[in-house]
Amino acid sequence: DSGCRIVVESGGYAYASIRLAAPQAPQDGATFIAHGRQAAYGDPRIEGILRDVAPGVEPAGDVRLWRRPDRPRAGAPPASRGEPAAPASCVALALRHAEQDLGVLHILSDDEAAFPPEEIELLRELASDLAFGLVTLRARAAEIAREAALAEAVRVARQRSQFIAQMSHELRTPLNAILGCAQLLDHAPDEAVRRRRLVKILLDSGDHLLALIEDILDLARIDAGKLELRAVPIRLDEFFESVSEISRVKAEEKHLQFRLALAPGLPVAVAADGKRLRQVLLNLLSNSVKFTDSGAVSLRVSRVGADTPAPGAARHVARLRFEIEDTGVGMNEEQSSRLFQPFEQVGDSARRQGGAGLGLAISLPLIRLMGGDIQVRSAIGRGSTFSFELDFPVCDDAA
C-alpha cells in the first residue's frame, strides 16, 4: 500500500504510474525514461494530466483516453537533451478486483497516435493482472504479519516458561538450604561455632529468598502501574557508603576492585526514595560484577549544571549524574537492545546462573518513574557503562 511505479520505454518515452487507493499512497513527481536515460520529472503538466484523467475512470467504466488537444507550434525550440517533451497522450485504467477499487494505472506517451483499440484491450488485461497481483501481495503481506505476530507470541511464551522454570529453581535453592539447616540444628549437638555457621546460612538464604519474592512483586506492581515512590530526606555520604559496602564485598569475592568516586559539590542531603534508588544502583552494580572477570567496577556520582528552583517550594533541585562502569565482557547492539526486557538474560549460560534476570527489567521502569532514563555504552571485550541523570530536591540535612 506504499505505492509503486512501473516505467517502460518505446520510441521516445513512455511512463506508467500506479497510484493506489490507500490514503498513505505517495503522490510525488513522475519518473521518466527518455532515450534510455531515467530522470526525475516533477513537471506540473504531468501531474495535471494525471489529475484530469484519473477522475474519468468511473465505476461504470475502467478506461479513459486523453490526447493532447494542441500540437507544438512550428519553430518551437525542441526539448533540451535528456529532458522529455510534454506527453501527447495518456490512458488511465482502473485497477479493480472482485468489485474492489485498488487504484489507477496511468500510461503516458509522446506519440499522439498511441493506444489504439487493440492496445487498450491488452492494457485492460494488464490492469486486471496487476489488480490481481496487488490483491495477492496484500494477502501475502497480511499472512506474513500474522506469522510474525504468532512467532513473537510463541517466543514470549517460551521466555515466560523459561523464566518460571528458572524462578522455581531460584526459590527452591534457598528454601532447601533453610529447611536443611533447620533439620541440622534440630539434631546437632550444642556446639556454638557450628550453630553460628548454620544460622548464618539460614539468614543468608532467607535474605536471598526475600529478595527474589520482592523482585517478583515489584515486577507485578510495575506491570499494574501501582508502584509508587516515597521520597524522604537522605544523607548522600551515608547512602553511597552503604551501597559501596555491599558492592565492594561482591566485587572482592571475584578479586575485582571496587571504586566509588563522589565529585565535589554534591548536596549534603536530598529528598529521594532511598530504597528504590539503592535497589537500582545495587542491581546495576551486581550486573557489572557478574559480567566482569578482571579489572574493576566503578560508581561515579557528579552534579550536573546549576540548580533550579523546585516548583512551589523554597528549596532548589539538583541534577545528579550516576555512572556505573566495568571492565567486563561487554555486549553487542543486539544484546544491549534486550538487556532491560523482562524474562531476558544476555550472556552465556554460565553467567545466567544465580539470578532470575529481573534486576535490570525492574531498574529501567524505576528510573523512568523517577524522571530519568538509563543509557548504555558497551562493546564486546571493552566493558560497559550504564548512566542516568535524576533531579532531587535539596535538603538542608537529614536525620
Side-chain angles (χ1 to χ4, degrees), residues 42-378:
D43 192 326
R45 295 173 299 176
I46 306 301
E47 297 302 314
I49 293 171
L50 300 185
R51 285 193 300 269
D52 292 341
V53 179
V57 185
E58 301 295 342
D62 58 357
V63 178
R64 182 175 181 182
L65 182 63
W66 173 92
R67 298 191 188 281
R68 187 171 57 195
D70 58 332
R71 296 174 177 273
R73 59 183 177 83
S80 60
R81 181 175 179 82
E83 178 184 354
S89 56
C90 173
V91 63
L93 302 101
L95 299 177
R96 292 194 182 93
H97 181 78
E99 299 183 356
Q100 179 182 3
D101 289 325
L102 303 174
V104 179
L105 169 64
H106 296 92
I107 303 178
L108 294 87
S109 174
D110 62 350
D111 183 2
E112 294 182 3
F115 314 123
E118 61 272 15
E119 287 187 3
I120 288 181
E121 287 303 315
L122 292 175
L123 292 175
R124 195 195 304 270
E125 294 181 9
L126 171 64
S128 176
D129 292 340
L130 285 174
F132 178 76
L134 285 172
V135 171
T136 304
L137 285 174
R138 288 177 176 177
R140 178 55 182 158
E143 182 182 353
I144 292 173
R146 287 193 297 270
E147 292 175 353
L150 177 61
E152 178 65 14
V154 171
R155 186 186 72 85
V156 172
R158 186 180 297 114
Q159 287 179 346
R160 290 182 182 273
S161 298
Q162 292 173 351
F163 165 76
I164 292 173
Q166 177 72 12
M167 183 56 66
S168 299
H169 171 76
E170 292 294 333
L171 292 173
R172 190 166 53 246
T173 300
L175 186 58
N176 286 336
I178 291 172
L179 294 174
C181 287
Q183 292 172 358
L184 290 172
L185 282 172
D186 187 45
H187 298 90
D190 189 8
E191 299 176 6
V193 174
R194 178 180 174 83
R195 284 181 177 272
R196 283 197 298 269
R197 182 173 63 83
L198 293 175
V199 168
K200 185 178 186 304
I201 295 175
L202 280 173
L203 292 174
D204 291 345
S205 299
D207 289 340
H208 181 49
L209 184 59
L210 180 61
L212 289 172
I213 295 173
E214 285 291 337
D215 280 349
I216 296 173
L217 292 176
D218 282 344
L219 189 62
R221 293 188 191 105
I222 290 170
D223 286 341
K226 295 183 178 180
L227 189 64
E228 297 179 355
L229 300 177
R230 294 178 175 84
V232 297
I234 59 172
R235 288 186 59 90
L236 290 184
D237 54 352
E238 297 175 356
F239 174 81
F240 289 121
E241 185 60 30
S242 67
V243 170
S244 65
E245 286 179 359
I246 298 172
S247 301
R248 184 175 287 108
V249 170
K250 294 183 178 180
E252 289 176 352
E253 288 176 352
K254 294 186 65 175
H255 306 288
L256 302 174
Q257 296 182 30
F258 178 79
R259 300 166 183 163
L260 173 63
L262 303 179
L266 292 179
V268 174
V270 297
D273 190 327
K275 175 185 175 182
R276 296 305 181 185
L277 182 59
R278 180 184 289 105
Q279 181 180 3
V280 170
L281 291 174
L282 289 178
N283 283 340
L284 293 173
L285 289 167
S286 296
N287 183 77
S288 291
V289 171
K290 184 177 181 179
F291 289 90
T292 302
D293 297 324
S294 62
V297 174
S298 304
L299 169 60
R300 296 190 297 269
V301 186
S302 58
R303 200 166 187 166
V304 180
D307 293 356
T308 58
R315 54 188 178 180
H316 287 73
V317 173
R319 168 159 290 197
L320 303 185
R321 178 175 178 81
F322 301 80
E323 292 181 299
I324 295 90
E325 184 178 20
D326 64 62
T327 57
V329 296
M331 299 173 289
N332 57 32
E333 292 185 4
E334 191 272 336
Q335 290 173 322
S336 297
S337 66
R338 296 188 291 112
L339 189 61
F340 296 101
Q341 295 180 10
F343 318 116
E344 288 277 4
Q345 293 193 69
V346 301
D348 55 67
S349 58
R351 297 184 188 273
R352 298 179 189 177
Q353 302 301 319
L358 291 179
L360 297 185
I362 294 171
S363 297
L364 181 59
L366 280 177
I367 288 298
R368 288 177 174 171
L369 189 61
M370 297 178 192
D373 201 1
I374 299 179
Q375 307 296 326
V376 182
R377 299 194 313 273
S378 186

